[in-house]
Structures are given as structure tokens and as C-alpha cells.
Amino acid sequence: MKKCPLCGKEYEDGSMCPSCNVLLIDMSSGKAVGEDDRSRKESAKKVKIEKIKTEWSGPTHGNIQIPPVVLLGALAIAVIVVICAAVFWFMNRSQTSDTDIIYGENQYNVYPEEEDGFADSPDSVGQTGSESVSLNESDFADNAPVETGNQKYRFELPAYWQNLCTAEMNGDALYYYQNRSSASEEGGYLFSIQKMASDYYSSDYLWLAEEDGMVYALVRPAEPAYDASDPYAKLEYERLMEDIDYVNNSFRLVQTQGESEYIFEQSSSEYLSRSDLEGLTEQELSYARNEIYARHGRRFQDAGLQNYFDSKEWYSGTIAPEDFSESMLNEYEKANAELILEYEKDRGYR
């Protein structure tokens, strides 16, 4: 117990006397009684609080302290976003169809719209990915040679040209156009047969025949003239251009009045070659072979042949077929008759 120096009453603790309310002073330190104890207690309390704040305040950004709870929340949100993105990517990838196959250089399972009954599909896509249609072979089924031309010349083309192409005369020139491309900017020009002076003939042309110093030439376009916007037109055009050999192999000039009435007037005096026979029709080959016999007066059981030779001024049929002998022919005639017969067989005419 302590005594108040003023009133002499005892007190246990405190800085003031409980009886006279006088501030008690420690004479040795000059401070109020108990002040050092309170200061020490308050300082210890502040240190403890600062320690707790340091341990739980987390990192700082400038002068701003970021609470740990905020950091944990942000980290949790980032993890959730990453997980959702991974799940979305996996689900989207799993929905890819097995038909998403690379055809040529095309990496997409996309095909042009259906046109004229030809729909593009994986089976019809070309090796380069650009030729996505194929020819309708039924359009080319009727390929029997058909003779055509004008009053000056004749030649053959496959029968399907009559449906796929159009012929137009322009002066002495005959032009052929692909119907499918005729209305396009390119025009569909396939070839033309033109009559020109030999001086104007170019090596770019195909020589067909010559008459009185004039050349009949087959002229092709400098560049393909199919409709560039129509893939099928391109394939059809290229197929038609392959038939140019038909024209070259069958082209012949039409004989006019006053010319020889023979197919081969020289067949009795010189040897023929296969090139002489190219371009003749089946009927003309038959006339050429039989006129060798007709020169010697042989008659024919075939009514068509007989009527044909009866119309010739040089013919005089006096020998019955059964009475005719091969010995009546000279060496040129025998060789030429045999050559023509072999050629007919090769062409499938006999």
C-alpha cells in the first residue's frame, strides 16, 4: 500500500489520490505516479499492433497496400478463366466432322453449288482442287463420224458436235463455236476453215488442201475461248478441241463439173499411198477400188455400184462379174486395189 503525501491516506494504485483527488507525483522522477508503466504498456501494445498489420497487410503498390484476400480472389478468377477456355477449345475440336478432309490444296470441306446436275463432291474434286467437276460422258456417246462442210469441201466430225456446237459461215470461212460458251465474253470459238492465198498461210495454221494457188487452212484460236466462269465449259471445250484430227484426216475438196470423173484417175498408171486415201468416205473408197475393175468393162451385181458407173461417160460395162479375171489388171491396178481393200478393213468398213 502507498500513502498520499497530502492527506496521508493509503492507496493501492493510480496516479490520483482516491480521497483528495490530488495528482500524485513521484518525487524521484518528477512524473505522475504510474505514468511509466502506462507508457510502457501503450508502447508494447502499439508494437504488437504494427507487427500484426505487417504480417497480414500483404504486398504494396506504391503507397497502397493490397489485401491478401483480393490477391487470392484474383488468382482464383484467373484459374477459372483458363479452365473454361481449355474446355471450350476441346469441345469445339471434338465437333469437327470426319469429312473435313484435305482435297488437293483445298483445306475446307466446301463445294460449289450444284450446276446442271453436276454437284461437286469429294469424288469429283481434281488433284489440284480446282477441277471440281467431271464430264458427262453421255454427251459424247454418239461419236459416229458425220460428214459436213459446204459446196466446196467436205470433212467429218463426231455426231455429238451437232448438239454441243454451232457452225457459221462468214464469207468463204466456216466457223465453229461451243454452245455452252457462245454467250460469254470469251465466245466459245473452237476453229475455222479459211481459204487464203498461199502467201498468207502461217505455220500456226493447219494445212488442209490447195487449189489453184489457194490454201484451205484450219485456224485455231490463239487462246482458249471457253467461259472462264463455268468449270464444266472448260472441260467440254478441251474435249472438243481433241477432235481437230477428225477434220484434218477427212478434209477433201468437192470436185466440180469438168474435172475428172474418176476418184483416182492415175490408179492405173502409178502406185497410190495411204495418204491418198485419207479423208475419203466409206462410199468413196468403194468407188475408188471398183473403178479399177470398171475401166476394163466389168459389170457389178451391186445395184448401187452399177448405177454409179453407168453415170460415167468413160464406162462401158460389157463383162459379167463371173467372167472377169484379175489377170486383166496391170501391176499398178492390182497393188492399188489391194491397198484400198486393206485400208477399208483398217477403218472397219469391211
Side-chain angles (χ1 to χ4, degrees):
M1 298 290 287
K2 298 179 181 182
K3 289 183 179 182
C4 174
L6 182 61
C7 64
K9 290 189 177 182
E10 296 180 346
Y11 64 91
E12 293 182 357
D13 196 8
S15 59
M16 296 183 67
C17 175
S19 298
C20 60
N21 292 326
V22 176
L23 180 64
L24 301 178
I25 303 299
D26 187 344
M27 298 304 293
S28 60
S29 63
K31 296 180 180 181
V33 175
E35 185 175 349
D36 291 337
D37 292 337
R38 288 195 302 271
S39 297
R40 285 193 297 271
K41 290 180 181 179
E42 289 176 359
S43 298
K45 183 177 180 181
K46 289 181 179 180
V47 170
K48 185 175 181 180
I49 292 173
E50 290 296 329
K51 182 178 180 181
I52 293 173
K53 289 173 63 179
T54 301
E55 291 176 350
W56 290 93
S57 63
T60 62
H61 182 70
N63 294 325
I64 301 175
Q65 292 183 340
I66 303 175
V69 174
V70 175
L71 290 176
L72 291 175
L75 180 61
I77 292 173
V79 172
I80 293 172
V81 170
V82 171
I83 293 174
C84 291
V87 171
F88 177 81
W89 176 84
F90 179 81
M91 292 180 64
N92 185 64
R93 183 176 182 273
S94 64
Q95 293 175 355
T96 302
S97 171
D98 291 339
T99 58
D100 293 336
I101 303 171
I102 297 177
Y103 296 102
E105 297 176 358
N106 183 7
Q107 302 180 35
Y108 306 97
N109 189 22
V110 179
Y111 308 109
E113 295 181 359
E114 186 172 337
E115 179 183 353
D116 296 340
F118 300 101
D120 297 344
S121 65
D123 292 336
S124 63
V125 176
Q127 293 298 318
T128 63
S130 61
E131 295 182 2
S132 55
V133 295
S134 58
L135 286 173
N136 183 2
E137 293 299 330
S138 63
D139 291 344
F140 304 87
D142 188 6
N143 59 357
V146 174
E147 188 175 72
T148 185
N150 56 29
Q151 69 276 14
K152 296 181 180 180
Y153 53 79
R154 308 293 292 174
F155 59 90
E156 294 178 352
L157 282 171
Y160 53 74
W161 275 65
Q162 299 176 78
N163 298 323
L164 304 180
C165 308
T166 298
E168 295 181 4
M169 288 295 300
N170 185 359
D172 289 334
L174 175 62
Y175 291 82
Y176 272 85
Y177 299 91
Q178 178 195 24
N179 292 339
R180 194 178 183 96
S181 299
S182 60
S184 69
E185 182 179 352
E186 293 79 5
Y189 171 49
L190 288 160
F191 74 90
S192 62
I193 296 177
Q194 302 188 31
K195 183 180 180 181
M196 63 188 70
S198 57
D199 294 342
Y200 291 96
Y201 177 78
S202 168
S203 58
D204 295 332
Y205 307 153
L206 182 62
W207 185 292
L208 297 174
E210 182 179 8
E211 180 183 46
D212 298 331
M214 301 296 289
V215 175
Y216 288 90
L218 186 146
V219 180
R220 285 168 283 198
E223 296 181 357
Y226 55 79
D227 183 354
S229 65
D230 184 351
Y232 189 86
K234 175 180 183 293
L235 297 183
E236 183 186 271
Y237 184 93
E238 292 173 346
R239 175 69 170 269
L240 292 170
M241 290 296 286
E242 294 176 2
D243 295 332
I244 296 299
D245 285 341
Y246 277 86
V247 182
N248 182 36
N249 294 334
S250 62
F251 187 89
R252 64 182 179 84
L253 296 176
V254 176
Q255 293 181 345
T256 59
Q257 292 293 331
E259 292 184 347
S260 174
E261 291 187 319
Y262 293 95
I263 302 296
F264 292 115
E265 187 174 5
Q266 76 277 24
S267 62
S268 62
S269 57
E270 59 183 65
Y271 294 113
L272 299 176
S273 66
R274 291 182 69 90
S275 62
D276 293 324
L277 307 180
E278 292 178 354
L280 296 183
T281 65
E282 179 179 1
Q283 189 67 71
E284 289 170 336
L285 289 168
S286 176
Y287 291 156
R289 178 169 50 83
N290 283 287
E291 73 181 4
I292 295 175
Y293 305 111
R295 280 196 186 94
H296 296 276
R298 184 187 190 277
R299 296 189 62 82
F300 301 91
Q301 292 179 341
D302 183 280
L305 283 174
Q306 189 61 56
N307 290 335
Y308 171 79
F309 290 114
D310 283 339
S311 67
K312 305 300 179 183
E313 294 183 1
W314 55 263
Y315 177 71
S316 177
T318 58
I319 303 174
E322 62 273 14
D323 295 331
F324 186 82
S325 173
E326 292 284 334
S327 62
M328 297 178 183
L329 305 180
N330 63 35
E331 295 303 317
Y332 293 110
E333 292 172 326
K334 290 179 181 178
N336 289 334
E338 183 177 350
L339 175 67
I340 297 173
L341 180 60
E342 290 178 355
Y343 187 84
E344 288 177 298
K345 291 179 179 178
D346 291 344
R347 295 294 296 268
Y349 297 152
R350 294 182 62 83

